[in-house]
Amino acid sequence: MRKRFSLIVVVVALFLLLGGLSFAVDLYFDFLWFQELGKSVVFTTALVAQSMLASLTLLAAFIFLFLNLLHANRGPGEIQLGIPTPTGQITAYVVTRQMVHRIAGLAALVVSAFLGLREAQQWERVWRWLNKVDFGTTDPIFGRDISFFVFSLPLMGEVVSLAMVVCLLAGAGTLILYYFKGALSIHSLSKRGHIRTHISLLLALFFLLLSANAYLDRFQVLYSSGGPMFGATYADLHGRLPLLNLQVAAAIVGALLLAYNAFAVRNVAAIGGIGLYFAVALLGGVYPALLQKFVVAPNELGRETPQIEHNIRATLHAYGLQRVEERNLSGDKALSRQDIQDNAATVQSIRLWDHEPLLDAFSQIQEIRTYYDFATVDNDRYMLNGMSQQMMISPRELNSVSLPERNWINEHLSYTHGYGVTLGPVNRVTREGLPVLLVQDIPPRALEPSLAITRPEIYYGELTKGYVIVKTSEKEFDYPAGEENVYATYKGEGGVPVRSFLRKLLFAIYFKDPNIVLSPMLKADSRFLYFRDIRTRVQKVAPFVTLDQDPYIVISDGKLYWIQDGYTTSDRYPYSTPLKGIGNYIRNSVKAVVDAYSGRVDLYVADATDPLIQVYQRIFPGVFRPIAEMPPDLQRHVRYPEDIFRFQTFIYSMYHMTNPQIFYNKEDLWEVPVLSSGQAESPMVPYYTIMRLPQEKKEEEFILMLPFTPNRKDNLSAWMVARSDAPNYGQLVVYRFPKQKLVYGPKQIVARINQDAEISRQVSLWDQRGSQVIQGTLLVIPIEEGLIYVRPLYLRSETGKIPELKRVIVAYENRIAMEETLEASIARIFGDQIPVPGEQTSAPVAGTGTVAAAPGERADLIIKARDAFGRAIEAQRAGDWARYGEELKSLGTILNELAKSERAAPK
């Protein structure tokens, strides 16, 4: 028996040793990682805080539990165990008080350790309370600053809950001990003595904690969700809240009676105290319901109007919507050709390439090798020829899953990084219907000097999931050059160096990979790069920040950087309506910039007025930098993030109704338009564009926008924009149409497009030839006080994989046009001579969207006619009658334009 017990002890000890070693190694390399980034204060602050909380909780819980068990052990009775002998008889064994003492101490220690580990995870609550700052806004019921609800109340609730758990554990432990000692009975509890005194005092303490819990529950009424809005209702304020106050008093009276009961002759005081508390608690569940049914329900709007006002005010403030600027549009002024000309820059920035077709095109023409992937396409703007132009950019990342030969050396030593980006304007295509590229190929070839990339390697990205080791004796693949490969050595300072065999061994334990210690290719100056994907990297540096789903890459001063937006959130803002996944308070407070080559992470404070980010700046001094310290060129690429804009538009679709009566009846509820996408329907998503806002005299700016329609209707009621350019960054503007004016909404425009005979005939013709017609995103483009709708059409051949932009549909009021270019479609609606660059070109001149042609407009038209005729003849010879018909139609359009120019020419 002793040998078996010793073996078990050895196995357990070995298991604990290995677990402790693994934990220590994890801590060590996490510290080295933070140290390499210059953010070790994040690691040390969290570690010190967790250690202190775990120790204090363990100590306090152990003392309380052990003293209660020790007191119970000193009471009457003893523990007797019946142990069977080999002869079948039962031998009574008495467990000594000393043995019970040791067991009780061990049990208290184990339970306290678990409680300490649990509370260590709550360190952020404590440190946020220690470093709290005021919001400068008070709640409408208790008059307390919002910081009390965000920072103080959660900590107070945690402390009370922990104390109640410890008290219950102590009570359960003492009852169990009394039971095994044979001292627990109805008689022992009914007469004055050691056991009743002990239990009564524990119950008195528990009732005091119930009183504290009921006191804190008073503030929880502000998070009620049972009324016509989120927050305390009339029944909560006039029924539930007074009874919670009464419950506080009842619990205190119960505690006093239980304390008295510890020394009284009978249990009358205890029964009275417990009965009083439960009677009040029962009344607290019934009275608010009666109040709601007989007082509130007959006149709900009248009773709930003040609470609705509180909810509207709090929700708008919590989501940063209190300063939304609303502007009214008359909707009476029709767009003219002059309006289009005056807003030429807006029209020039209309996006003709959707993300998915463009990503497919990039994948086919720019991946170069199978192990490169374009995972995402991002929208941004760049200054070209003194003008801000919208671009779509996609990083060429290395996907180790697609390597032709997957082994440890290839995945971790040789193929370590992606290479370069592909970038092109959103509105220009070649004659073949493919995107025009201003940055392309490997090595990156830029058509504009300002877009040149001198450091194209991408060691940190969205697909870089595993670790790699650089500066080893193995050649590091840089990029392919024809049939040969170019190799390079990492020259950055990112990563953690190996330095010694011991650290190499620890790395093998950390990554659970024996190849690390067995490989002879690692040198002392080799460096481990890990936590390389952008979201994980930023989240580890700032775990208290909620990250936007779309980090985007930018070209700045010849280098590649990732910009990751971060949000500070809370679910403790009183009266504010919550959203699933974020709570009921959000601010875009952080802009994280990650160097794609070195992995350096810089955190910039984008909203210095946010109390939450001010608290984290106090907790982690030196981690955050003011946004003004961001390099000027990077500042020009800061954009308003999509995720928070989605949340804000969803909230504003309801909370633009600030009149309580209108809000209650949902008379003016908006919704995001829902459009069909294949077999399913999905709401429109926000999109970026460059435009001059109506009623603004300033130049065009980069904005994020989304339209609204009335609830269950399809006409357009309003649209919201978020401005991204300084000095108006973050400003939200809503443009509203008059309710008596019918403005076609996106769904109505789509229906009209689908019903157009010419468009339907052309789409059917393509379908008959086996080609796949891809309908692009419908864009709502505000110009002056009107709207035009633009929808690109892509064509993917039956055997091809590259989508080609074939047509552009433009709709304005009752007019619809579908032509090969945006220019031609707008010209059909508003007249000729519209100076917008929509021509399909194969050799674009930077910033113009057109190619150099023969002098004069007529000469250019003649060349186009000749080219169209030649393509028609080629299609006829190939038997491609669909393309033949398209080219003849194009030829007819060009000849008509030529005829008009002849008539307009001076005689």
Side-chain angles (χ1 to χ4, degrees):
M1 180 67 71
R2 289 183 178 178
K3 291 182 178 180
R4 185 177 299 175
F5 181 75
S6 300
L7 180 61
I8 293 174
V9 171
V10 170
V11 171
V12 171
L14 182 61
F15 177 79
L16 293 175
L17 179 63
L18 291 176
L21 176 63
S22 178
F23 177 72
V25 170
D26 287 351
L27 282 180
Y28 175 63
F29 282 111
D30 280 356
F31 173 74
L32 292 180
W33 185 83
F34 277 101
Q35 190 178 52
E36 176 248 326
L37 288 177
K39 303 289 190 298
S40 57
V41 65
V42 176
F43 177 85
T44 55
T45 299
L47 183 62
V48 169
Q50 290 176 338
S51 301
M52 289 178 61
L53 277 181
S55 301
L56 290 174
T57 303
L58 186 150
L59 180 62
F62 175 77
I63 292 174
F64 186 80
L65 292 174
F66 183 64
L67 288 178
N68 275 276
L69 293 175
L70 185 63
H71 185 72
N73 190 37
R74 291 174 178 172
E78 59 183 11
I79 299 177
Q80 294 185 356
L81 300 177
I83 301 177
T85 65
T87 60
Q89 296 179 343
I90 303 298
T91 300
Y93 178 77
V94 177
V95 181
T96 64
R97 291 182 184 271
Q98 290 77 10
M99 181 61 72
V100 174
H101 182 90
R102 296 191 188 102
I103 294 174
L106 180 61
L109 182 62
V110 171
V111 171
S112 300
F114 278 109
L115 292 175
L117 291 176
R118 177 187 176 276
E119 289 305 308
Q121 306 306 312
Q122 308 298 321
W123 71 271
E124 199 173 317
R125 286 185 177 182
V126 180
W127 258 245
R128 295 199 327 177
W129 175 74
L130 291 173
N131 295 275
K132 66 180 180 180
V133 298
D134 288 342
F135 275 66
T137 304
T138 58
D139 79 278
I141 305 303
F142 300 101
R144 291 178 177 265
D145 190 88
I146 302 301
S147 61
F148 169 79
F149 298 90
V150 176
F151 304 125
S152 302
L153 190 59
L155 177 61
M156 295 166 67
E158 181 65 27
V159 171
V160 171
S161 297
L162 175 63
M164 292 176 70
V165 168
V166 173
C167 190
L168 285 174
L169 289 173
T174 55
L175 287 174
I176 291 172
L177 186 54
Y178 283 132
Y179 172 79
F180 278 106
K181 294 178 69 174
L184 186 63
S185 64
I186 299 296
H187 178 71
S188 64
L189 292 176
S190 61
K191 70 173 184 177
R192 183 169 56 186
H194 184 97
I195 297 177
R196 195 181 79 174
T197 301
H198 191 181
I199 300 301
S200 295
L201 290 177
L202 275 177
L203 282 174
L205 176 60
F206 187 74
F207 264 64
L208 283 178
L209 295 174
L210 285 177
S211 174
N213 190 64
Y215 176 80
L216 297 181
D217 281 346
R218 296 165 61 253
F219 303 105
Q220 298 296 333
V221 300
L222 302 186
Y223 306 102
S224 172
S225 58
M229 77 295 159
F230 185 84
T233 62
Y234 181 92
D236 290 323
L237 297 177
H238 297 84
R240 186 178 165 202
L241 185 59
L243 284 171
L244 281 173
N245 291 327
L246 186 60
Q247 195 171 337
V248 172
I252 293 175
V253 171
L256 294 174
L257 290 175
L258 284 164
Y260 170 77
N261 186 76
F263 308 100
V265 177
R266 298 180 180 180
N267 285 326
V268 176
I271 295 172
I274 295 174
L276 175 64
Y277 179 81
F278 280 103
V280 173
L282 180 63
L283 183 62
V286 175
Y287 178 66
L290 295 176
L291 196 65
Q292 175 68 30
K293 184 175 181 179
F294 295 106
V295 177
V296 178
N299 183 26
E300 188 172 44
L301 176 59
R303 297 291 186 181
E304 300 291 8
T305 292
Q307 290 72 246
I308 292 175
E309 291 176 342
H310 299 332
N311 171 251
I312 293 173
R313 191 180 305 111
T315 302
L316 290 175
H317 188 275
Y319 288 92
L321 296 170
Q322 76 278 17
R323 290 188 294 271
V324 170
E325 181 180 354
E326 289 199 355
R327 301 178 183 177
N328 294 318
L329 301 174
S330 65
D332 295 327
K333 182 183 176 183
L335 289 180
S336 64
R337 182 169 59 183
Q338 186 61 44
D339 293 325
I340 301 297
Q341 292 174 346
D342 292 342
N343 292 270
T346 297
V347 179
Q348 289 172 12
S349 299
I350 294 176
R351 175 166 59 87
L352 300 181
W353 282 104
D354 282 356
H355 288 201
E356 290 187 11
L358 185 61
L359 200 59
D360 290 342
F362 284 171
S363 298
Q364 294 299 317
I365 65 178
Q366 280 292 302
E367 278 189 356
I368 313 297
R369 295 285 177 90
T370 58
Y371 41 77
Y372 287 126
D373 269 353
F374 290 102
T376 183
V377 177
D378 297 308
N379 283 277
D380 201 359
R381 70 283 199 200
Y382 289 82
M383 293 297 295
L384 299 180
N385 300 323
M387 293 180 58
S388 179
Q389 298 187 31
Q390 188 177 357
M391 301 288 170
M392 301 192 79
I393 182 172
S394 184
R396 185 185 293 103
E397 296 197 59
L398 188 140
N399 189 350
S400 59
V401 176
S402 302
L403 288 174
E405 182 66 30
R406 295 192 64 186
N407 55 55
W408 186 80
I409 292 177
N410 281 347
E411 292 187 27
H412 298 287
L413 305 186
S414 297
Y415 294 87
T416 57
H417 58 274
Y419 206 86
V421 300
T422 297
L423 177 144
V426 298
N427 63 330
R428 288 159 58 186
V429 295
T430 67
R431 294 189 185 280
E432 294 77 22
L434 298 177
V436 171
L437 302 179
L438 300 184
V439 179
Q440 58 185 315
D441 300 337
I442 298 178
R445 180 167 55 89
L447 301 184
E448 287 286 335
S450 60
L451 299 176
I453 304 174
T454 57
R455 181 57 75 187
E457 298 90 345
I458 302 176
Y459 284 87
Y460 300 86
E462 294 184 85
L463 297 181
T464 50
K465 302 299 183 182
Y467 73 90
V468 296
I469 313 171
V470 295
K471 295 186 178 181
T472 66
S473 57
E474 175 70 16
K475 291 193 298 184
E476 187 181 341
F477 171 77
D478 200 26
Y479 62 88
E483 298 298 325
E484 302 294 331
N485 289 334
V486 176
Y487 297 90
T489 300
Y490 182 70
K491 298 179 180 178
E493 295 300 322
V496 177
V498 174
R499 291 187 180 174
S500 66
F501 177 79
L502 177 59
R503 184 177 285 187
K504 183 178 176 181
L505 177 62
L506 294 177
F507 265 122
I509 298 173
Y510 181 69
F511 289 111
K512 298 176 177 61
D513 192 341
N515 290 300
I516 294 174
V517 73
L518 297 176
S519 174
M521 300 178 184
L522 275 63
K523 301 181 295 184
D525 60 343
S526 297
R527 305 181 77 88
F528 278 79
L529 312 184
Y530 51 105
F531 298 130
R532 296 191 301 139
D533 67 286
I534 301 304
R535 289 179 58 83
T536 301
R537 195 169 185 83
V538 176
Q539 193 72 81
K540 197 166 183 67
V541 172
F544 42 83
V545 171
T546 302
L547 299 183
D548 189 87
Q549 296 180 22
D550 185 27
Y552 59 101
I553 199 166
V554 302
I555 303 171
S556 178
D557 296 327
K559 299 182 67 176
L560 298 177
Y561 296 91
W562 293 91
I563 298 181
Q564 170 72 69
D565 283 282
Y567 310 113
T568 46
T569 60
S570 174
D571 60 355
R572 306 307 302 166
Y573 201 101
Y575 265 114
S576 174
T577 299
L579 291 180
K580 185 177 180 180
I582 67 165
N584 61 3
Y585 174 91
I586 186 170
R587 289 291 187 272
N588 176 213
S589 299
V590 177
K591 302 282 185 182
V593 176
V594 182
D595 190 316
Y597 185 74
S598 69
R600 172 174 172 166
V601 180
D602 290 307
L603 301 178
Y604 297 97
V605 176
D607 186 355
T609 64
D610 173 39
L612 283 174
I613 200 62
Q614 293 176 18
V615 167
Y616 287 120
Q617 285 179 283
R618 291 185 174 190
I619 296 175
F620 306 109
V623 170
F624 297 93
R625 302 168 63 185
I627 191 71
E629 294 184 9
M630 180 184 287
D633 189 61
L634 277 177
Q635 288 189 40
R636 287 191 283 269
H637 294 283
V638 167
R639 69 185 192 185
Y640 199 81
E642 290 185 56
D643 283 358
I644 190 174
F645 189 66
R646 285 194 183 96
F647 300 141
Q648 289 174 322
T649 51
F650 179 81
I651 289 294
Y652 201 75
S653 65
M654 178 183 296
Y655 284 88
H656 70 277
M657 300 179 290
T658 54
N659 182 292
Q661 181 176 354
I662 296 175
F663 180 91
Y664 177 81
N665 294 316
K666 304 295 186 287
E667 298 176 20
D668 192 23
L669 186 64
W670 295 345
E671 63 183 16
V672 175
V674 176
L675 299 179
S676 60
S677 177
Q679 300 297 324
E681 288 192 340
S682 58
M684 291 184 68
V685 297
Y687 53 90
Y688 294 97
T689 189
I690 293 178
M691 63 173 289
R692 179 165 60 86
L693 294 177
Q695 304 172 3
E696 288 275 345
K697 296 182 180 179
K698 299 178 180 180
E699 60 184 16
E700 288 73 18
E701 56 185 294
F702 192 62
I703 57 101
L704 180 63
M705 72 166 291
L706 189 67
F708 294 110
T709 59
N711 185 37
R712 299 181 182 177
K713 293 184 179 180
D714 296 329
N715 59 290
L716 204 67
S717 56
W719 47 279
M720 175 183 277
V721 301
R723 308 171 81 167
S724 292
D725 292 341
N728 299 311
Y729 176 84
Q731 182 182 357
L732 301 176
V733 185
V734 172
Y735 290 90
R736 306 179 65 151
F737 290 102
K739 296 178 182 178
Q740 66 274 13
K741 176 73 175 180
L742 175 61
V743 179
Y744 287 122
K747 198 167 188 177
Q748 293 170 320
I749 292 296
V750 169
R752 292 180 61 84
I753 290 174
N754 293 336
Q755 294 167 3
D756 186 88
E758 180 182 354
I759 296 175
S760 297
R761 181 191 61 80
Q762 183 63 69
V763 171
S764 299
L765 185 61
W766 281 327
D767 286 337
Q768 291 172 7
R769 299 294 301 171
S771 299
Q772 179 189 3
V773 179
I774 304 172
Q775 297 190 13
T777 301
L778 183 72
L779 300 180
V780 184
I781 308 298
I783 297 179
E784 299 298 337
E785 294 201 3
L787 299 170
I788 64 172
Y789 289 86
V790 177
R791 184 172 218 174
L793 289 184
Y794 311 95
L795 196 65
R796 182 185 280 122
S797 65
E798 185 177 7
T799 58
K801 296 182 178 180
I802 305 178
E804 300 175 1
L805 178 62
K806 282 299 182 183
R807 294 290 186 273
V808 180
I809 302 172
V810 175
Y812 171 66
E813 293 185 344
N814 294 320
R815 288 169 276 176
I816 297 177
M818 183 180 75
E819 297 294 336
E820 292 186 1
T821 65
L822 175 64
E823 179 188 40
S825 295
I826 292 179
R828 274 190 57 186
I829 293 179
F830 296 100
D832 297 330
Q833 308 297 326
I834 305 300
V836 295
E839 290 186 292
Q840 295 174 322
T841 64
S842 56
V845 177
T848 66
T850 61
V851 293
E857 182 183 353
R858 288 191 298 167
D860 187 73
L861 290 173
I862 292 171
I863 292 174
K864 290 182 180 179
R866 183 191 64 192
D867 292 343
F869 178 77
R871 291 193 297 270
I873 296 299
E874 290 177 4
Q876 182 187 38
R877 291 172 179 170
D880 189 348
W881 300 109
R883 189 160 65 91
Y884 177 77
E886 296 173 17
E887 297 300 345
L888 282 184
K889 181 181 176 182
S890 176
L891 177 61
T893 301
I894 296 171
L895 292 177
N896 287 334
E897 294 179 6
L898 184 60
K900 291 178 182 178
S901 66
E902 286 286 348
R903 289 193 297 269
K907 304 297 183 183

